[in-house]
Amino acid sequence: MNIAFTTILLFVILAPGFIARNAYNSSKLSVKDYNRNLVNDLTWSIIPSLAFHTIFIAVLHNATSYCVDFEQLGNLILAVPAKSEDSFRQLGNFKYAIFSYNFILFVLSFFAGLGLREFVRKRHIDRKVRYFRFSNKWHYIFTGECLDFPDVPDQYEEITDKIINVLCKVNGRSVLYTGEYFNYYIDSKGDLEAVHLRNPIRRYLENDNDPEQQYYVISSRYLVIPNSDIININFRYLSMQEIDETEITASERQNLIELAPGENL
């Protein structure tokens, strides 16, 4: 018995945690960390794998006639020469049962990872507890979920609209693009690639002091702005609600903005 077999055996033992972890991080919420390698991932998989095996072995012992021979398993892991022949004979005798055990455990681990992610998201645990927060920081910023962070006084549930101002450098001139948030794009490292606006308008920043220079409505419903042109981004999270006209106060009536027929905010 050589070290290669022991390595494969250890990988199989740690695989449930590895699979669950990858399933948990398989969405757009997670960004791959290129500083991590297989050894790091397997190390982080030790505790989840032990938990999966403990639960599954308990079910196996109580619900079936099979049991795990830990002595033989230890001999295989430690590569004990005197016990190798007997250990491999046991593997051959129960190869189908061992395969079924691991296959079912791997499948359950995958769905456990997905289920845990859904639970964390639905219960907003990632917003409340930093440890459970996903690595894609842009998701929390663009969606406004960052308002639910413990050190932020606002609340995400109050958001009805998200308006984004993007200051860009175009042909040597500073241009301010404004529009509703539609989408964003990141690269494999988690860096922002582009911002996707809906109903965009623009104006040149040099015309800030000229009241006659208004926003120019772009003749397109959507606009994608590459990050290479972006200087900075301003986010406005709005909370709007419909009210009856009779509920409007006199001071609020003075600040009303009337839209032309067919015009939208």
Side-chain angles (χ1 to χ4, degrees):
M1 191 183 305
N2 55 39
I3 193 172
F5 179 80
T6 303
T7 302
I8 294 173
L9 183 60
L10 288 174
F11 180 82
V12 171
I13 293 174
L14 296 177
F18 179 78
I19 293 171
R21 181 178 174 82
N22 278 274
Y24 182 82
N25 292 317
S26 61
S27 71
K28 189 180 179 181
L29 295 167
S30 301
V31 177
K32 184 177 180 180
D33 185 358
Y34 285 90
N35 294 321
R36 299 180 64 87
N37 52 39
L38 182 60
V39 175
N40 297 134
D41 289 332
L42 290 177
T43 302
W44 278 96
S45 303
I46 292 176
I47 294 178
S49 295
L50 290 176
F52 282 123
H53 281 295
T54 300
I55 296 172
F56 210 64
I57 289 173
V59 173
L60 187 72
H61 284 191
N62 290 282
T64 70
S65 59
Y66 292 101
C67 65
V68 177
D69 190 336
F70 290 101
E71 181 181 354
Q72 296 291 352
L73 180 61
N75 292 334
L76 289 170
I77 295 175
L78 298 175
V80 179
K83 303 287 186 178
S84 60
E85 185 177 346
D86 185 45
S87 298
F88 277 109
R89 187 184 303 111
Q90 290 275 27
L91 283 178
N93 293 337
F94 295 97
K95 56 181 177 294
Y96 296 114
I98 294 172
F99 174 81
S100 300
Y101 169 90
N102 285 286
F103 178 77
I104 296 173
L105 183 56
F106 292 169
V107 172
L108 291 178
S109 300
F110 175 79
F111 286 105
L114 295 180
L116 179 60
R117 186 181 71 205
E118 290 301 314
F119 176 78
V120 168
R121 290 292 296 159
K122 286 186 177 181
R123 304 298 297 179
H124 306 160
I125 299 176
D126 56 324
R127 306 182 205 171
K128 301 172 185 176
V129 183
R130 188 179 183 87
Y131 178 80
F132 289 98
R133 203 161 296 161
F134 294 90
S135 55
N136 182 6
K137 62 182 179 182
W138 291 110
H139 167 80
Y140 296 101
I141 295 173
F142 277 100
T143 60
E145 291 182 11
C146 58
L147 299 183
D148 277 346
F149 290 176
D151 53 345
V152 179
D154 297 311
Q155 292 184 353
Y156 169 73
E157 283 73 14
E158 297 176 353
I159 297 177
T160 58
D161 296 273
K162 294 181 281 288
I163 304 298
I164 299 179
N165 299 318
V166 184
L167 181 61
C168 302
K169 203 73 172 180
V170 181
N171 296 326
R173 302 177 69 182
S174 297
V175 183
L176 184 65
Y177 292 94
T178 300
E180 302 173 41
Y181 163 72
F182 181 72
N183 205 350
Y184 71 96
Y185 307 96
I186 58 175
D187 59 21
S188 58
K189 296 181 180 179
D191 296 326
L192 186 66
E193 275 192 335
V195 178
H196 203 164
L197 302 181
R198 180 167 52 194
N199 300 324
I201 56 177
R202 69 159 173 82
R203 67 180 173 86
Y204 290 103
L205 205 62
E206 62 198 46
N207 297 328
D208 264 359
N209 297 324
D210 189 349
E212 295 184 0
Q213 296 291 338
Q214 301 296 326
Y215 277 98
Y216 169 77
V217 178
I218 300 174
S219 58
S220 174
R221 189 177 180 186
Y222 298 99
L223 176 68
V224 178
I225 305 174
N227 186 49
S228 57
D229 295 335
I230 296 176
I231 299 175
N232 60 44
I233 306 174
N234 176 62
F235 298 87
R236 286 186 290 169
Y237 307 114
L238 306 179
S239 178
M240 300 182 182
Q241 61 179 3
E242 293 185 4
I243 60 174
D244 191 87
E245 188 176 354
T246 58
E247 299 176 2
I248 303 176
T249 64
S251 59
E252 290 174 337
R253 288 181 182 277
Q254 294 178 357
N255 296 321
L256 285 178
I257 299 176
E258 294 187 5
L259 300 177
E263 186 178 359
N264 296 318
L265 281 174

